[in-house]
């Protein structure tokens, strides 16, 4: 009995440490600059102020948000399509070199992304894709981890289902599209969530693939906003409101799919 | 159909190839490569090709103007690497500083996040616990949100008039101005950072004195450490949690019947079964922490006094700000070597001992 109370006490304390910063963020977005500086501990505003949202709306913020939405949706669609195509080929189609390709995909995933920071810029530059939406989107269209997840899933689909379709004369593309894909909702949703979240939160690639301010995403835009004014005044309500707004879409996705997020993502992670 | 790929195979051997209880379909070959084409093109163009190009740039004197393959760009051999590792100078000193900073970062973050994640997973795994979903959500949420957004929040929490210092004041403690304080915490713990022992200052390695190597993470770096532990624990907690759920309860029950204490059951029964997950968490942790970039970019850009400079950020800033492209590429490859080395050492240390 005593131990259980202790357990709850620890959990509640830790949960408070995890939630409190978000409460502070929410409250500070509605505080005035002076209020934020004077009462940094209060999780509610003394004087409500909505001016920072107006400031953000007047600045480039809407444009960053639109860029983020466009880029993330394009990357997510691409990843879902290409990852599942590749995953299906690696799981189910028999042809020479399949194993080698899978090994190569795994090897490529293992390369630290930081090593690729400069090289990606070099290639984008050579291809004339620097400072364009294409340069921001195309390199992220495929994600090795997603290919891996789809492959693992397709391997669990019973072969008999496909064989029936094949005996009826359906080709690989038709079998994949009308038989296997409709059965793959759980895996598709997982890849969709991970892709959206990953591309929405991506920073380094959007730093090195563009420099035109009109192409800023929320991540690169907010990062510039924050560090650009670091030395001058505080303006924390403005910065925190920007951070708050960029968190909202991910938060919505998270809370709608939280069951899948917390269970599906790491199922079999210990294998 | 598909004859191009199957042609070289002699007639008698064809049915044996790639069979696992299924006859290979000839058309699979063409479809397979077609299905893989987008993936192979993207990975080839933006992963394999870039690495080869960067290898060339790391041994060249390219300055960012024009193509790195134009005739005006020359090979400088190992000069870029030498400047980082052997030639005395600012380049080597900055690189050594970034390795030191990141080394302390890894040393603090990896054990903290692993232990904390395992602890939370064990508590959540208690059968009678109520509100599990709520706690899991609370701990995991920071992991899914943008590192930029989280960094902005921490910038406020740890600013000199911010939440953390206001909370410390409640206990009568005057908090430092976190992001402006370059003092190393080991130096602070040793008392008088202004008067270092001359034996340690006189000698050094890679252009940094031993005294500098031993500084510990700076106060500014400590706030980044707190931030990263705070955000990454949730994800690793879920990995441990999923693994715990998959353990057969019978083993634990058997130990319970044999009279093992809770502590013994944890060390002797549960933890050994978690070894694969522990391995995964440590590997991902090491790979991730050696590449810390987003937080440094948003919070400090290497300041104050280079004490939050990391190789990943140095590689970026050398290239994109300093236009020393060869230097930046060389730093990236050295960092890659460091990551591979650490992964191998950790794999060796955690191997099954028989």
């Amino acid at each position: 009995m005593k131990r259980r109370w202790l357990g709850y006490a620890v959990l509640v304390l830790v949960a408070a440490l995890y939630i409190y910063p978000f409460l502070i963020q929410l409250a500070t977005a509605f505080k005035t600059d002076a209020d934020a500086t004077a009462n940094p501990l209060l999780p509610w505003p003394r004087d409500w102020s909505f001016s920072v949202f107006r400031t953000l709306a007047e600045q480039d913020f809407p444009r960053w948000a639109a860029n983020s939405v466009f880029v993330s949706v394009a990357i997510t669609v691409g990843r879902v399509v290409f990852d599942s195509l590749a995953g299906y080929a690696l799981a189910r189609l028999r042809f020479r070199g399949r194993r080698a390709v899978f090994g190569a995909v795994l090897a490529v995933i293992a390369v630290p992304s930081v090593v690729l920071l400069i090289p990606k810029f070099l290639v984008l530059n050579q291809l004339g894709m620097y400072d364009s939406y294409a340069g921001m989107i195309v390199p992220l269209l495929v994600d090795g981890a997603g290919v891996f997840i789809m492959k693992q899933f397709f391997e669990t689909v019973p072969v008999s289902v496909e064989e029936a379709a094949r005996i009826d004369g359906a080709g690989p593309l038709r079998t994949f599209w009308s038989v296997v894909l409709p059965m793959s909702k759980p895996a598709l949703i997982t890849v969709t969530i991970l892709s959206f979240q990953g591309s929405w939160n991506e920073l380094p690639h959007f730093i090195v693939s563009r420099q035109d301010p009109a192409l800023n995403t929320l991540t690169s835009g907010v990062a510039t906003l924050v560090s650009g004014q670091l030395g001058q005044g505080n303006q924390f309500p403005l910065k925190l409101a920007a951070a708050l707004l960029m968190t909202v879409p991910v938060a919505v996705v998270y809370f709608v799919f939280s069951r899948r997020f917390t269970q599906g993502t790491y199922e079999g992670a210990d294998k | 159909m598909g004859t191009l790929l199957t042609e070289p195979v002699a007639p008698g051997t064809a049915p044996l190839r790639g069979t696992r209880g299924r006859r290979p379909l000839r058309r699979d070959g063409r479809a397979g490569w077609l299905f893989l084409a987008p993936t192979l093109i993207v990975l080839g163009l933006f992963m394999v090709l870039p690495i080869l190009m960067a290898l060339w740039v790391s041994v060249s004197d390219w300055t960012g103007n024009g193509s790195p393959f134009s005739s005006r760009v020359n090979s400088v051999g190992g000069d870029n690497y030498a400047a980082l590792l052997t030639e005395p100078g600012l380049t080597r000193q900055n690189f050594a500083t970034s390795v030191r900073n990141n080394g302390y970062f890894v040393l603090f973050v990896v054990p903290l996040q692993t232990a904390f994640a395992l602890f939370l997973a064990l508590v959540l795994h208690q059968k009678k616990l109520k509100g599990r979903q709520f706690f899991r959500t609370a701990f995991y949420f920071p992991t899914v949100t943008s590192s930029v957004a989280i960094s902005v929040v921490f910038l406020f929490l740890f600013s000199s008039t911010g939440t953390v210092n206001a909370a410390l004041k409640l206990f009568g403690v005057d908090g430092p101005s976190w992001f402006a304080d370059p003092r190393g915490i080991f130096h602070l713990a040793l008392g008088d950072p202004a008067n270092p022992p001359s034996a340690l200052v006189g000698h050094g390695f890679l252009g940094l004195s031993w005294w500098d190597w031993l500084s510990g993470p700076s106060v500014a770096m400590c706030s980044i450490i707190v931030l990263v532990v705070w955000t990454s624990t949730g994800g690793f907690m879920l990995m441990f949690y999923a693994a715990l759920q998959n353990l057969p309860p019978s083993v634990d029950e058997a130990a319970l019947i044999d009279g093992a204490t809770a502590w013994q059951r944890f060390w002797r029964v549960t933890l050994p079964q978690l070894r694969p997950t522990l391995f995964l968490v440590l590997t991902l942790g090491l790979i991730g922490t050696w590449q810390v970039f987003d937080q440094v970019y948003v919070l400090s850009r290497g300041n104050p006094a280079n004490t939050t400079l990391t190789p990943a950020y140095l590689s970026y800033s050398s290239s994109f700000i300093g236009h020393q492209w060869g230097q930046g590429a060389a730093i990236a490859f050295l960092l890659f070597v460091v990551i591979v080395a650490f992964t191998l050492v950790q794999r060796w240390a955690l191997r099954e001992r028989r």
Side-chain angles (χ1 to χ4, degrees):
Chain A
M1 219 29 217
K2 216 177 184 182
R3 264 192 64 205
R4 197 157 11 126
W5 279 114
L6 195 70
Y8 277 117
V10 170
L11 276 183
V12 168
L13 186 75
V14 178
L17 281 178
Y18 272 77
I19 296 170
Y20 200 66
F22 289 110
L23 294 179
I24 291 287
Q25 178 189 17
L26 186 63
T28 308
F30 294 98
K31 288 179 179 177
T32 59
D33 281 3
D35 188 14
T37 315
N39 306 303
L41 263 176
L42 268 195
W44 61 81
R46 277 257 163 86
D47 334 296
W48 287 82
S49 157
F50 298 90
S51 63
V52 292
F53 293 98
R54 216 171 309 129
T55 313
L56 283 176
E58 283 161 6
Q59 288 190 346
D60 299 329
F61 195 85
R63 174 150 196 128
W64 302 343
N67 283 340
S68 271
V69 169
F70 174 63
V71 168
S72 304
V73 168
I75 291 170
T76 305
V77 170
R79 282 192 185 177
V80 170
V81 173
F82 296 150
D83 289 357
S84 54
L85 276 173
Y88 185 72
L90 293 172
R92 276 302 160 78
L93 300 177
R94 316 268 138 181
F95 59 94
R96 268 223 232 167
R98 190 182 64 149
R99 258 164 231 270
V101 169
F102 183 56
V105 170
L106 284 187
V108 164
I109 308 178
V111 176
S113 58
V114 162
V115 178
L116 290 162
L117 216 59
I118 298 167
K120 271 189 185 170
F121 165 80
L122 298 178
V123 170
L124 288 174
N125 223 359
Q126 287 285 300
L127 296 176
M129 287 164 80
Y130 182 70
D131 243 348
S132 73
Y133 284 112
M136 296 165 72
I137 293 168
V138 177
L140 299 181
L141 276 182
V142 167
D143 134 75
V147 173
F148 190 72
I149 292 173
M150 292 313 298
K151 175 184 179 280
Q152 300 292 91
F153 181 85
F154 289 137
E155 278 171 351
T156 65
V157 176
V159 180
S160 55
V161 184
E162 286 160 81
E163 258 161 14
R166 290 213 163 188
I167 289 164
D168 289 346
L173 185 62
R174 191 165 175 87
T175 315
F176 166 73
W177 182 256
S178 13
V179 180
V180 181
L181 216 51
M183 297 173 67
S184 315
K185 255 195 204 140
L188 290 175
I189 293 177
T190 304
V191 171
T192 307
I193 296 172
L194 290 178
S195 300
F196 178 76
Q197 181 228 339
S199 47
W200 186 267
N201 293 341
E202 173 69 37
L203 172 70
H205 179 68
F206 298 140
I207 295 177
V208 302
S209 60
R210 47 142 285 280
Q211 63 180 170
D212 184 352
L215 290 177
N216 262 323
T217 58
L218 282 174
T219 46
S220 61
V222 171
T224 322
L225 174 83
V226 169
S227 49
Q229 295 163 357
L230 196 63
Q232 313 148 23
N234 282 326
Q235 291 198 303
F236 277 115
L238 181 75
K239 294 171 186 171
L240 287 170
L244 180 69
L245 290 175
M246 75 186 285
T247 311
V248 169
V250 183
V252 169
V253 171
Y254 176 69
F255 287 109
V256 170
F257 294 101
S258 82
R259 189 157 284 273
R260 187 165 304 284
F261 239 122
T262 50
Q263 288 171 352
T265 318
Y266 295 115
E267 224 140 76
D270 58 320
K271 297 270 154 63
Chain B
M1 275 177 94
T3 42
L4 252 180
L5 287 161
T6 52
E7 236 164 16
V9 181
T13 61
L16 289 172
R17 165 178 52 85
T19 42
R20 279 273 160 95
R22 259 179 88 210
R23 215 175 65 82
L25 294 168
R26 274 181 139 207
R27 60 188 174 200
D28 272 9
R30 210 166 81 170
W33 289 108
L34 215 65
F35 278 34
L36 283 170
T39 300
L40 293 180
I41 292 171
V42 172
L43 292 185
L45 269 182
F46 297 104
M47 296 284 239
V48 181
L49 183 65
I51 293 173
L52 298 177
M53 280 175 77
L55 260 180
W56 158 244
V57 168
S58 80
V59 294
S60 80
D61 62 357
W62 188 57
T63 51
N65 295 321
S67 162
F69 300 109
S70 81
S71 55
R72 279 175 299 133
V73 179
N74 304 306
S75 165
V76 294
D79 281 6
N80 288 319
Y81 292 93
L84 293 168
L85 297 174
T86 53
E87 283 163 25
L90 192 62
T91 308
R92 188 178 73 159
Q93 197 186 336
N94 282 344
F95 180 65
T97 308
S98 75
V99 170
R100 175 199 67 182
N101 297 338
N102 214 335
Y104 282 120
F105 181 76
V106 172
L107 189 71
F108 278 71
V109 171
V110 173
L112 279 175
Q113 74 187 7
T114 308
F116 198 32
L118 179 57
F119 171 74
L120 289 180
L122 286 168
V123 179
L124 281 185
H125 186 58
Q126 304 291 315
K127 280 195 191 65
K128 287 174 190 155
L129 186 83
K130 289 199 185 77
R132 188 176 308 182
Q133 179 73 33
F134 166 77
F135 288 117
R136 227 164 44 185
T137 304
F139 301 149
Y140 189 53
F141 188 61
T143 310
V144 297
T145 54
S146 140
S147 54
V148 173
I150 296 282
S151 299
V152 176
V153 175
F154 270 66
L155 198 60
F156 176 65
L157 296 180
F158 280 91
S159 70
S160 46
T161 57
T163 312
V164 171
N165 280 355
L168 286 175
K169 198 161 264 170
L170 296 179
F171 300 97
V173 179
D174 258 339
S177 53
W178 296 86
F179 290 113
D181 197 333
R183 291 174 299 169
I185 59 166
F186 291 173
H187 280 180
L188 286 173
L190 291 173
D192 191 5
N195 291 315
S198 52
L200 288 173
V201 176
H203 306 275
F205 174 60
L206 286 181
L208 273 197
S209 73
W210 290 118
W211 173 249
D212 282 334
W213 279 106
L214 292 172
S215 68
S218 68
V219 174
M221 186 56 111
C222 283
S223 42
I224 301 184
I225 289 172
V226 173
L227 161 64
V228 171
V229 170
W230 186 80
T231 37
S232 60
T233 301
F236 293 131
M237 172 199 76
L238 279 186
M239 292 187 194
F240 280 124
Y241 184 75
L244 283 169
Q245 301 283 50
N246 288 336
L247 294 186
S250 52
V251 183
D252 198 47
E253 280 159 17
L256 190 62
I257 291 166
D258 287 346
T261 63
W263 195 241
Q264 284 172 326
R265 275 182 292 141
F266 171 69
W267 277 111
R268 303 272 169 80
V269 180
T270 310
L271 198 58
Q273 294 185 87
L274 287 179
R275 185 195 287 270
T277 315
L278 188 65
F279 180 73
L280 181 75
V281 168
L282 287 173
T283 307
L284 293 178
L286 278 175
I287 293 174
T289 46
W290 271 110
Q291 298 191 60
V292 55
F293 177 86
D294 293 15
Q295 293 81 1
V296 174
Y297 183 85
V298 177
L299 290 174
S300 63
R301 309 236 164 168
N303 292 320
N306 279 348
T307 59
T308 62
L309 192 66
T310 64
Y313 185 77
L314 185 62
S315 164
Y316 161 79
S317 65
S318 305
S319 304
F320 289 88
I321 300 170
H323 299 289
Q324 305 261 20
W325 290 86
Q327 207 73 81
I331 294 169
F333 281 109
L334 288 178
L335 178 59
F336 179 51
V337 171
V338 168
I339 292 173
V340 171
F342 265 77
T343 313
L344 291 177
V345 167
Q346 178 239 351
R347 169 172 276 189
W348 172 81
L350 269 185
R351 73 195 185 282
E352 297 275 359
R353 289 188 184 80
R354 289 171 197 281

